Amino acid sequence: MSKLLAMLMITFGFQGVQASEKLVYEEDKLTALYDDIWHHQMTTWPTYATYVGYPGQNGLWPDPSLKANLKYSKKRGEFLKKLNAIDTKQLSEDAHLGWRLVNKSLQIDIDGHSFPEELILIHQRSGVQQDIAGTLSIMPKTNRQDFTDRLSRLRNAATYIDKTIEVLRAGVEMKITPPQITLRNVPNQIRNMIPKDISDSPLLSSFNHFPSTISVTEQAQIIHEATTIIKKDIYPAFEKLLEFIESEYIPNANQSIALSNKPNGTRWYEHRVRMFTTSDLTPKEIHKLGLIEVKRIRAEMEGIIKQSGFKGNFTEFTHFLRTDPQFYMKSAEDLLAKYRDISKRADPELPRLFGKLPRMPYGVIPIPDYSARSQTTAYYRGGSQEIGRAGYFYANTYALDTRPTWEMEALTLHEAMPGHHLQISLSQELPETHPLLQNLSYTGFVEGWGLYAESLGDEMGFYQDPYSKFGQLSYEMWRAVRLVVDTGMHLYNWERQKAIDYFAGNTAKSLHDIEVEIDRYISWPGQALAYKIGELKFKQLRAEAEKSLGENFNIREFHDELLSKGALPLDILEQRMRSWTAVQASNL
């Protein structure tokens, strides 16, 4: 380029145009790459595509085969290489943030392929014995094609089950299985799919609520076809799975509950800890932090016991909370009604704490009977505007004498508003944001937010009686205990009973819930650590902002900024919020 031409470009602004074009070009490349990554994820995981409302995948199942997993891993590496080839200096601030998030997500995924996660496809909380009915239950029912897709999924289900067995058998040969204790309920979960009376099968129960465009005659034909497929194809496949699980898989499953006792297990656990917490804390550091938090929260709980006027020690008080009939509902309907009442009392308090609220509605429904016994107290499943499905807070109505009322306020705030429903829905509703970014999920942020949301109950007018306040503290203690027992079992070789005893000695949770929880940590190493780590980060950032901004601190603006970019890794969240606080302080 000649000096004269360069001077002319500077004089008339052409250099800026060229730079702008370069920026647009790099961002277009980034968006095109997002499209490819998103499409690949949706076609690889069709059940997740159904969840988010991505079209064209509703008749398919994932391919769990080792060959497919290897192919997926290779493709993720190719995506990361293309992502790293983009000139990040030419990206806008928001585009660069998106680049960082996708880069981190891909890298964590690729690092995980160093460990044989693909061999562990089944345990008491998940697997094909729950996936098929669960996926059918969230599929849309708006037109004839939706029911055609359901039938296609049924036709493909037997192959899905058979391929799962092949992978599980390979896991047995390689001595990579879930701990045996986490498999004890799986046979009955399979039997729940194939009752003698096929009309009672959860596989068939979602063939209802037909749209008016489908005639009664067509409805009967669809139900008949579904019944035939289930009876002739899926029942035999599940019976084959049941035989394999009982005769081969469980007898040969690993006896040890510690992930560190598997090949390369210590590094495997360390990877999972980083993945779930998105922090640099080591398992040893997390164990120590857990002990500190347990001690702090225990002191607060002792104070509440004194305030309540109860004459007795901590153990006697928790026994009282676990056993006194006043704390338990008489029916599943009454339990659900109380959860719904708490939800509706929470909703009008939200505008005081948030400037922006989600449009997506939510409901409260029971966890399906076929999985309730092995499930935790509750969970949340997000909605999809694309297919017209609301978000749902699933409450466990199994064993009502283990579902105390004093835990219900904290649990509702965690699962619904201002917890998971608010945060996840706002993320899905981010304007002009690629769906890949809208649906990125980091457990430290998502579950940390849920636990932080529980703590907002004081500001929302909840926890007015000592029992509910003790319940909130018991729930916080529950998450602190996780830091100790998860690392205790997977790093320090704690026995299962030691973990149960430690949990029971520090919370008022029912023994049934405690056993379910401990088995969850055994089958899902590291995941439970994310809650407390994330919550502590949110509280730390809020305390820093309150101290820096003083009387000018605005809780609505702070929360809106926290949630403005969806779920973030905790290190990136910290950088963003400290920058935001600094800007706010400089404008005072």
Side-chain angles (χ1 to χ4, degrees):
M1 182 185 297
S2 68
K3 290 184 179 180
L4 177 60
L5 180 57
M7 291 177 62
L8 288 172
M9 290 179 68
I10 293 172
T11 302
F12 293 102
F14 292 138
Q15 189 177 39
V17 172
Q18 187 182 49
S20 176
E21 288 176 349
K22 175 67 173 174
L23 183 147
V24 171
Y25 175 66
E26 289 299 300
E27 293 193 4
D28 283 346
K29 283 171 57 180
L30 186 61
T31 299
L33 182 57
Y34 288 172
D35 288 342
D36 290 343
I37 296 172
W38 183 239
H39 178 71
H40 183 248
Q41 287 183 193
M42 294 298 98
T43 53
T44 302
W45 310 110
T47 50
Y48 184 59
T50 295
Y51 173 76
V52 300
Y54 188 89
Q57 304 301 309
N58 283 352
L60 304 172
W61 298 106
D63 182 353
S65 69
L66 299 182
K67 182 178 178 180
N69 181 76
L70 185 62
K71 182 179 178 182
Y72 179 75
S73 176
K74 182 179 179 181
K75 192 68 175 178
R76 300 291 275 181
E78 293 173 1
F79 286 141
L80 182 60
K81 186 176 181 180
K82 290 181 179 179
L83 187 71
N84 287 330
I86 288 176
D87 185 357
T88 56
K89 294 179 181 179
Q90 302 299 328
L91 299 177
S92 66
E93 182 179 349
D94 279 351
H96 189 230
L97 174 62
W99 183 94
R100 292 177 68 193
L101 295 177
V102 176
N103 183 286
K104 194 177 190 77
S105 179
L106 287 171
Q107 190 62 64
I108 289 174
D109 199 7
I110 291 166
D111 290 345
H113 286 124
S114 300
F115 310 101
E117 297 273 0
E118 69 277 5
L119 294 173
I120 300 179
L121 295 180
I122 200 166
H123 48 68
Q124 85 281 13
R125 296 194 67 251
S126 67
V128 69
Q129 82 283 10
Q130 297 185 37
D131 291 349
I132 294 176
T135 301
L136 291 171
S137 72
I138 66 170
M139 291 178 66
K141 303 177 182 179
T142 58
N143 53 48
R144 185 65 172 78
Q145 183 60 47
D146 290 338
F147 284 90
T148 299
D149 289 337
R150 285 172 182 275
L151 293 174
S152 295
R153 271 221 161 113
L154 288 182
R155 292 189 195 96
N156 295 325
T159 299
Y160 182 30
I161 297 169
D162 288 343
K163 286 187 175 183
T164 298
I165 294 173
E166 291 176 9
V167 175
L168 296 177
R169 182 167 281 122
V172 170
E173 293 172 359
M174 297 171 65
K175 301 187 184 307
I176 302 294
T177 73
Q180 191 178 74
I181 189 69
T182 69
L183 297 168
R184 67 189 186 281
N185 291 327
V186 171
N188 280 337
Q189 291 173 348
I190 298 171
R191 289 187 178 94
N192 288 340
M193 294 296 108
I194 51 175
K196 289 183 179 180
D197 187 347
I198 199 169
S199 63
D200 293 332
S201 174
L203 301 169
L204 191 61
S205 62
S206 67
F207 283 82
N208 56 15
H209 301 301
F210 289 87
S212 58
T213 53
I214 300 179
S215 69
V216 174
T217 300
E218 286 181 295
Q219 293 177 29
Q221 291 173 343
I222 291 170
I223 293 174
H224 175 74
E225 187 172 354
T227 303
T228 300
I229 297 169
I230 293 169
K231 184 176 181 179
K232 291 186 176 181
D233 298 334
I234 303 180
Y235 264 48
F238 268 130
E239 288 165 356
K240 180 180 176 182
L241 176 65
L242 179 61
E243 168 66 19
F244 168 76
I245 292 292
E246 290 190 316
S247 65
E248 294 184 48
Y249 201 63
I250 293 179
N252 293 291
N254 294 331
Q255 296 289 329
S256 172
I257 62 174
L259 183 59
S260 58
N261 286 337
K262 287 185 170 64
N264 206 18
T266 300
R267 285 190 58 244
W268 191 353
Y269 185 57
E270 290 170 349
H271 164 73
R272 291 180 66 86
V273 170
R274 288 194 302 272
M275 175 179 69
F276 285 122
T277 67
T278 61
S279 77
D280 292 327
L281 291 171
T282 68
K284 289 183 179 180
E285 290 171 333
I286 290 174
H287 188 84
K288 291 178 182 178
L289 176 61
L291 293 172
I292 294 169
E293 280 292 283
V294 167
K295 184 177 180 180
R296 176 187 67 79
I297 301 166
R298 177 66 176 261
E300 289 192 48
M301 295 171 82
E302 295 282 5
I304 295 297
I305 294 173
K306 290 181 180 180
Q307 292 176 25
S308 74
F310 182 82
K311 306 302 181 183
N313 60 26
F314 184 90
T315 301
E316 291 167 335
F317 187 70
T318 55
H319 177 75
F320 165 64
L321 292 182
R322 287 184 184 125
T323 59
D324 196 291
Q326 69 174 298
F327 299 120
Y328 296 91
M329 309 302 288
K330 301 298 183 183
S331 70
E333 291 75 19
D334 289 343
L335 187 72
L336 292 172
K338 187 170 181 64
Y339 277 126
R340 290 165 182 149
D341 173 70
I342 295 169
S343 297
K344 287 304 147 188
R345 286 193 285 120
D347 287 349
E349 302 301 323
L350 299 173
R352 292 193 295 106
L353 299 175
F354 301 90
K356 185 174 183 180
L357 296 171
R359 299 187 300 273
M360 176 66 69
Y362 71 97
V364 182
I365 58 178
I367 290 175
D369 291 340
Y370 60 79
S371 64
R373 180 174 181 176
S374 302
Q375 282 288 359
T376 51
T377 311
Y379 58 80
Y380 172 78
R381 180 172 284 163
S384 171
Q385 187 64 43
E386 286 77 7
I387 62 174
R389 185 187 70 244
Y392 282 104
F393 160 21
Y394 286 79
N396 203 326
T397 58
Y398 171 80
L400 289 173
D401 59 351
T402 67
R403 314 294 172 198
T405 55
W406 45 259
E407 72 178 3
M408 295 178 72
E409 289 185 348
L411 183 59
T412 303
L413 300 186
H414 181 107
E415 301 295 348
M417 291 286 217
H420 287 329
H421 180 72
L422 184 145
Q423 183 268 312
I424 292 172
S425 296
L426 283 177
S427 181
Q428 292 173 338
E429 295 170 12
L430 288 174
E432 299 180 4
T433 302
H434 197 282
L436 176 66
L437 300 178
Q438 288 177 330
N439 289 281
L440 285 176
S441 182
Y442 300 95
T443 310
F445 188 105
V446 174
E447 296 297 354
W449 176 263
L451 181 51
Y452 172 76
E454 293 176 25
S455 72
L456 296 177
D458 288 312
E459 297 170 75
M460 298 172 67
F462 289 98
Y463 315 139
Q464 293 300 300
D465 66 76
Y467 305 123
S468 289
K469 181 59 183 176
F470 191 89
Q472 183 256 319
L473 288 173
S474 196
Y475 262 47
E476 187 179 3
M477 175 66 90
W478 169 21
R479 280 43 169 262
V481 163
R482 287 173 168 178
L483 304 185
V484 179
V485 299
D486 194 294
T487 53
M489 291 187 293
H490 292 295
L491 187 67
Y492 294 112
N493 283 304
W494 281 25
E495 295 293 331
R496 177 174 178 269
Q497 191 59 49
K498 180 177 180 179
I500 291 172
D501 292 343
Y502 186 85
F503 199 146
N506 285 290
T507 78
K509 293 284 285 179
S510 73
L511 293 179
H512 170 79
D513 267 6
I514 289 171
E515 289 190 10
V516 170
E517 281 293 316
I518 293 300
D519 289 345
R520 168 189 170 182
Y521 312 152
I522 293 170
S523 63
W524 209 359
Q527 190 271 350
L529 304 176
Y531 296 64
K532 192 64 180 168
I533 300 301
E535 178 231 17
L536 290 174
K537 181 59 64 179
F538 284 120
K539 287 185 173 180
Q540 174 194 349
L541 293 172
R542 176 171 173 174
E544 290 176 0
E546 288 176 333
K547 181 179 180 180
S548 178
L549 301 178
E551 63 182 15
N552 293 298
F553 175 78
N554 185 308
I555 188 60
R556 299 171 82 229
E557 293 178 359
F558 174 78
H559 283 155
D560 287 354
E561 183 64 24
L562 270 178
L563 302 174
S564 65
K565 300 299 180 183
L568 301 175
L570 296 183
D571 54 348
I572 293 178
L573 174 70
E574 181 177 82
Q575 294 168 10
R576 284 187 52 79
M577 292 308 298
R578 285 179 174 169
S579 295
W580 176 83
T581 299
V583 170
Q584 300 300 307
S586 68
N587 291 333
L588 295 180

